[in-house]
Amino acid sequence: MTTPTQPSPPSPPHLRLRLVPHGGMPRPIDGGWWPRSYDLLTELPLLLAGLPHAWGHITNVTVNGSVWSPAPGRMLVHNQVVRLHRTQAASAPHTIVLLTPGRGRWDLLIIPPDTTEEAAEPLMAAAGAHT
């Protein structure tokens, strides 16, 4: 007797993230992130799972409200509450700000999801090398 095999669940998509090498100097951009969509509820858990453990638990996230899809004021990510803030600031339309109490703030350049790989690669490289 054979039992039908169930297909294995699809693996999560590869996180497209490039971080500036760790250093003691503050910098305006800490890396680049190229999400696959502007759906924060889908993309944020993938991003947070891929961040260095040294960054600690991200408790607050700020994004450009005119670009990202609507989301609640907070969400549960990996069994921890993350507060979501939306801004309309023209000074940072393509960034995401991540905060960890007592550890710091990290600003990532967001490469728009519809950017071609050819155009995204130099942007990611520049964001990951930003000094």
Side-chain angles (χ1 to χ4, degrees):
M1 177 171 164
T2 59
T3 55
T5 59
Q6 297 207 359
S8 57
S11 60
H14 174 71
L15 179 63
R16 302 182 295 189
L17 176 69
R18 189 117 9 120
L19 300 175
V20 173
H22 178 69
M25 298 298 295
R27 55 197 164 263
I29 294 292
D30 297 289
W33 177 41
W34 184 20
R36 288 179 167 68
S37 73
Y38 280 116
D39 180 357
L40 196 58
L41 298 178
T42 298
E43 301 292 340
L44 187 60
L46 298 171
L47 172 63
L48 297 184
L51 294 176
H53 290 291
W55 286 21
H57 167 63
I58 303 296
T59 60
N60 291 281
V61 173
T62 302
V63 296
N64 183 325
S66 66
V67 175
W68 290 89
S69 62
R74 59 187 165 175
M75 66 186 279
L76 194 61
V77 179
H78 309 296
N79 293 323
Q80 302 212 10
V81 174
V82 177
R83 287 181 175 32
L84 306 176
H85 307 276
R86 302 169 72 80
T87 181
Q88 303 296 325
S91 62
H94 298 293
T95 60
I96 184 168
V97 178
L98 309 169
L99 296 172
T100 302
R103 294 226 181 159
R105 168 187 167 149
W106 294 274
D107 293 37
L108 300 177
L109 175 69
I110 297 173
I111 311 302
D114 59 354
T115 304
T116 65
E117 189 169 346
E118 181 180 40
E121 185 51 39
L123 296 170
M124 292 287 285
H130 202 278
T131 56

